[in-house]
Amino acid sequence: MSEGTVLHIKGRVLRGPEDVRDELWVRDGRVTYEPPAAARKVTTLTGWVLPGLVDAHCHVGLDARGPVDESTGEKQALTDRDAGTLLIRDAGSPSDTRWIDDREDLPRIIRAGRHIARTRRYIRNYAHEIEPGDLVAYVAREARRGDGWVKLVGDWIDRSTGDLAPCWPRGEVEAAIAEAHRLGARVTAHCFAEDSLRDLVEAGIDCVEHATGLTEETIPLFAERGVAIVPTLVNIATFPRLADGGQEKFPRWSDHMRRLHERRYETVAAAHDAGIPVFAGTDAGGSLPHGLIAQEVAELVKAGLPAATALSAATWGAREWLGRPGLSEGAPADLVVYDTDPREDVRVLAAPRHVVLRGRVTG
């Protein structure tokens, strides 16, 4: 919009699941609920309004082979933006994507630096691959490079046993998480299986990605400590294909992956019922395409979360968790407009009518 233009949005503005307003204005790129005294030009949009969606597990600057060039990273970010994702927690990337911060037309990114993995225990070209004695130093490095998060690979296939296994001894994990917290960063970890979870939570981890290995023994521990999970159900849907590909070489691992997949909805429902914070993330940028946040929210509903709770996992609650504003007075005008009430049917998220980023209508 040109300078001096005011954006007027009428309909139903969902500041929260129950906090609904009839209209808002956007002036100088920020939200206001006070009608402007005068404006040279007013552009009006109508519909149901949500804060810009949040993908809490996404990888801009990464594909199945490793880091990508800026042109590819730009396409990834634009795909997310056009799907309504305006805030991304980038849960590990080997690419330097700071250049995105200078682009007014691209989503905001909260970075976790580069993945930190055990030597030969993760996807090639993705992570710093190190031994436990170096864990504290690398966590400190990524805490300084990121935007308040660090990403560990908590478990991966151990070729000597042919199954998923924890990557880090308890003592090193405790020291590394303590160092991250000292530097003001939170720590999250990739975890598929069961065995690494207790040590990570008791060591002070802040979040676990995927969390397919949650059990009736560890769910109460997560709830007691307030450790969040980001289930990435659109990624967990790929487990049967992965298991089929590894059946001949690693049958134990393949069977394990199938079991984790089979109980995925039950696991997420039990976590939610226990009071564990659940947030929406797609794991886009590895083997998955970008722009899948609507599918992930729909998967959370399929797992048994109420529609408003699943929406919050990608909007109000996720923004609060990440320390970013929603549609409060004076907040940056990052919002999405839909034809119908997303609280009634979250599938409307797949078809935004308008996307407004930094006060400008995109597209």
Side-chain angles (χ1 to χ4, degrees):
M1 295 186 298
S2 61
E3 186 176 352
T5 298
V6 170
L7 185 62
H8 183 202
I9 302 178
K10 299 173 63 177
R12 305 299 280 165
V13 179
L14 301 176
R15 285 178 30 127
E18 303 298 333
D19 183 357
V20 184
R21 307 292 178 93
D22 293 327
E23 56 190 345
L24 66 74
W25 287 263
V26 176
R27 188 161 194 168
D28 298 326
R30 295 191 174 270
V31 170
T32 181
Y33 293 90
E34 295 293 331
R40 266 185 285 168
K41 181 180 179 183
V42 176
T43 298
T44 301
L45 307 178
T46 60
W48 294 80
V49 183
L50 285 173
L53 304 184
V54 180
D55 190 336
H57 185 129
C58 188
H59 304 279
V60 175
L62 179 69
D63 69 9
R65 295 174 298 277
V68 301
D69 59 23
E70 287 191 7
S71 175
T72 302
E74 177 187 45
K75 291 175 183 176
Q76 293 173 339
L78 287 170
T79 298
D80 286 320
R81 182 202 72 183
D82 292 345
T85 296
L86 305 184
L87 179 63
I88 291 169
R89 186 183 62 143
D90 195 315
S93 177
S95 298
D96 182 357
T97 59
R98 293 287 176 187
W99 58 271
I100 290 176
D101 295 346
D102 298 327
R103 290 278 298 270
E104 293 294 309
D105 60 332
L106 297 179
R108 303 167 196 272
I109 297 184
I110 298 170
R111 298 169 184 82
R114 189 172 185 174
H115 306 74
I116 303 172
R118 190 78 176 263
T119 307
R120 297 189 65 196
R121 294 282 300 279
Y122 199 49
I123 303 167
R124 185 179 299 176
N125 300 323
Y126 275 33
H128 296 299
E129 296 190 20
I130 62 169
E131 287 303 294
D134 294 322
L135 184 59
V136 172
Y138 272 82
V139 163
R141 169 180 170 176
E142 296 309 303
R144 294 185 177 100
R145 292 183 64 240
D147 298 316
W149 284 90
V150 177
K151 171 74 175 292
L152 306 180
V153 177
D155 65 27
W156 197 252
I157 189 169
D158 183 338
R159 289 167 176 80
S160 67
T161 63
D163 200 359
L164 295 164
C167 292
W168 311 105
R170 170 71 172 263
E172 280 74 6
V173 168
E174 288 179 344
I177 292 174
E179 178 66 4
H181 289 169
R182 186 185 72 82
L183 294 169
R186 289 186 276 184
V187 182
T188 192
H190 160 107
C191 293
F192 284 159
E194 299 85 353
D195 293 343
S196 65
L197 296 180
R198 179 170 292 277
D199 278 354
L200 288 167
V201 173
E202 291 182 346
I205 199 92
D206 300 284
C207 179
V208 169
E209 313 299 314
H210 319 301
T212 42
L214 280 169
T215 65
E216 61 183 14
E217 286 79 27
T218 51
I219 283 174
L221 182 63
F222 272 67
E224 176 188 342
R225 303 291 181 95
V227 177
I229 65 169
V230 183
T232 67
L233 287 167
V234 292
N235 177 39
I236 306 312
T238 68
F239 277 18
R241 174 176 56 81
L242 297 175
D244 290 345
Q247 181 65 45
E248 183 175 348
K249 191 172 183 181
F250 300 114
R252 286 183 60 194
W253 173 83
S254 295
D255 291 345
H256 197 172
M257 294 289 279
R258 291 190 186 96
R259 292 195 304 273
L260 294 170
H261 173 264
E262 286 167 2
R263 69 173 197 250
R264 67 198 186 281
Y265 294 141
E266 179 183 344
T267 300
V268 173
H272 168 257
D273 290 346
I276 295 173
V278 178
F279 298 104
T282 65
D283 208 359
S287 60
L288 291 178
H290 287 254
L292 300 180
I293 193 61
Q295 293 183 36
E296 182 64 20
V297 174
E299 281 287 285
L300 292 176
V301 172
K302 191 172 181 180
L305 272 65
T309 303
L311 278 177
S312 183
T315 55
W316 317 290
R319 285 180 169 271
E320 181 179 3
W321 180 56
L322 294 172
R324 298 298 189 272
L327 295 176
S328 56
E329 179 73 28
D334 295 342
L335 55 92
V336 193
V337 184
Y338 299 96
D339 288 331
T340 57
D341 187 350
R343 298 171 302 177
E344 297 295 325
D345 185 350
V346 299
R347 290 176 296 181
V348 73
L349 297 184
R353 177 188 287 182
H354 303 289
V355 176
V356 178
L357 178 61
R358 296 167 172 84
R360 295 177 179 269
V361 182
T362 68

